[in-house]
Amino acid sequence: MMASPLKSMLATLLLLAIALPDCKAKSKPSLLGKQAIHHAIGRQANHIELHKRHKPKFQPGPWMKAHATFYEGGSGTYGGACNYKDVAGEGYGMNTAALSSVLFKNGQTCGACYEIKCADSPQWCKLGQSSLFVTATDHCPPNPSLPNDNGGWCNIPREHFDIAKPVFSQLAEYKAGIIPIHYRRVPCKKQGGIRFTILGNPWFYQVIVWNVEGAGDIVSVQVKGDDKLKWTQMERDWGATWKTSSILLGESLSFRVRASDKRYSTSWHVTPKNWEFGQTYEGKNFN
């Protein structure tokens, strides 16, 4: 494969930079020559950086097979293992599901969105019904005391969705109990920016990250203050909650989140200096 003109020029300039200082018959490289080398390298580096930052938007994944059941609950409980406090108030509605361990991945999938269709069960599937779109907000724990095909629906290695009862009926009759489904990951659509709810105390801080567009699930959160606090990596506490013992009080906070599709979103100065525990602040969402 032929090298691009830019790479050829860069290679030539680098060779000149190495060879010229050892040349006794000629004078030292001029400042103009050094600047040319610097700018050529800079252009190449900028090209690489831009390529990293401008990743494509999250796209629907392939269709997969699984099963689904339903479970009782309410707006304050369907957020369960992801620590969403009020799924209705936070914009998720009742279109939520608890995922088996294989899909839940110890909370890493919290916030991910799925399209689900009832399949291969004409006795129970509601004919003519469109797909059901749900957000992963809870964990369906395994039950090793029951066999995988008779009650242990969420046992490893089963891929299973325990859907909130109010919306399960959009797919099938309740008396079906368990139904085969086809599912796939889809982009999450949200209103407004990413929300950051700050909890804890002056010595220990928790931040719940929610209302995330695009991939929906977050794999990294960093926080930065406007004074002493530099960019600091937070740790996942559980579900959508992240923690740090670095002192955040008294600083205007910025957050940088990375989604599972490796895209970043940086929200600058989300909070005022006098932010308070228990409050929610809005940042920048993924475009």
Side-chain angles (χ1 to χ4, degrees):
M1 184 180 294
M2 294 183 65
S4 68
L6 178 59
K7 290 183 178 179
S8 299
M9 182 182 72
L10 179 58
T12 302
L13 289 171
L14 289 174
L15 288 173
L16 287 173
I18 296 171
L20 283 174
D22 294 329
C23 183
K24 297 180 180 180
K26 301 294 181 180
S27 60
K28 293 182 179 181
S30 66
L31 177 61
L32 181 61
K34 291 181 179 179
Q35 289 176 337
I37 295 171
H38 173 77
H39 291 317
I41 295 173
R43 284 196 298 271
Q44 183 72 2
N46 287 339
H47 173 75
I48 295 172
E49 182 66 19
L50 286 172
H51 177 70
K52 287 182 179 179
R53 289 181 179 177
H54 289 78
K55 293 185 179 297
K57 293 183 178 180
F58 188 82
Q59 299 296 320
W63 286 100
M64 308 288 286
K65 293 183 178 181
H67 287 81
T69 50
F70 63 87
Y71 73 117
E72 305 275 356
S75 183
T77 59
Y78 283 136
C82 289
N83 203 24
Y84 298 127
K85 301 302 182 182
D86 179 359
V87 293
E90 295 174 359
Y92 299 107
M94 293 293 107
N95 288 51
T96 62
L99 275 54
S100 61
S101 297
V102 171
L103 296 173
F104 191 67
K105 299 177 182 178
N106 292 321
Q108 293 182 29
T109 318
C110 287
C113 296
Y114 296 86
E115 180 181 3
I116 298 176
K117 293 182 177 182
C118 185
D120 306 322
S121 184
Q123 180 182 2
W124 304 117
C125 293
K126 290 193 172 180
L127 298 178
Q129 289 294 322
S130 58
S131 300
L132 176 66
F133 293 88
V134 300
T135 302
T137 62
D138 205 353
H139 177 219
C140 180
N143 188 348
S145 64
L146 294 176
N148 291 9
D149 60 351
N150 187 17
W153 311 125
C154 292
N155 290 350
I156 296 173
R158 291 181 64 96
E159 296 185 358
H160 190 88
F161 291 79
D162 205 14
I163 299 172
K165 185 177 180 180
V167 295
F168 179 87
S169 60
Q170 296 179 30
L171 291 175
E173 301 291 341
Y174 287 128
K175 57 185 178 181
I178 181 171
I179 57 171
I181 62 169
H182 292 161
Y183 78 93
R184 65 174 179 171
R185 282 282 300 271
V186 293
C188 297
K189 298 179 181 179
K190 304 298 177 184
Q191 296 293 323
I194 297 175
R195 305 303 205 278
F196 302 90
T197 301
I198 306 178
L199 305 173
N201 57 59
W203 303 275
F204 180 75
Y205 301 81
Q206 294 175 308
V207 178
I208 306 175
V209 183
W210 53 281
N211 199 58
V212 180
E213 193 160 329
D217 51 343
I218 297 300
V219 298
S220 172
V221 177
Q222 293 176 296
V223 60
K224 179 184 182 301
D226 65 338
D227 187 11
K228 297 179 180 179
L229 183 67
K230 307 304 179 183
W231 280 115
T232 300
Q233 181 68 48
M234 302 187 74
E235 299 178 22
R236 189 187 299 275
D237 193 3
W238 55 291
T241 303
W242 298 76
K243 64 182 180 180
T244 183
S245 56
S246 298
I247 304 301
L248 308 185
L249 274 178
E251 300 210 33
S252 174
L253 303 177
S254 300
F255 292 95
R256 178 173 292 155
V257 301
R258 182 163 66 94
S260 62
D261 60 354
K262 299 183 180 180
R263 296 182 72 210
Y264 284 89
S265 177
T266 302
S267 301
W268 293 99
H269 308 299
V270 172
T271 74
K273 283 180 174 291
N274 61 340
W275 61 266
E276 297 179 355
F277 289 105
Q279 297 298 309
T280 297
Y281 301 90
E282 184 173 356
K284 176 186 176 183
N285 224 322
F286 291 93
N287 295 324

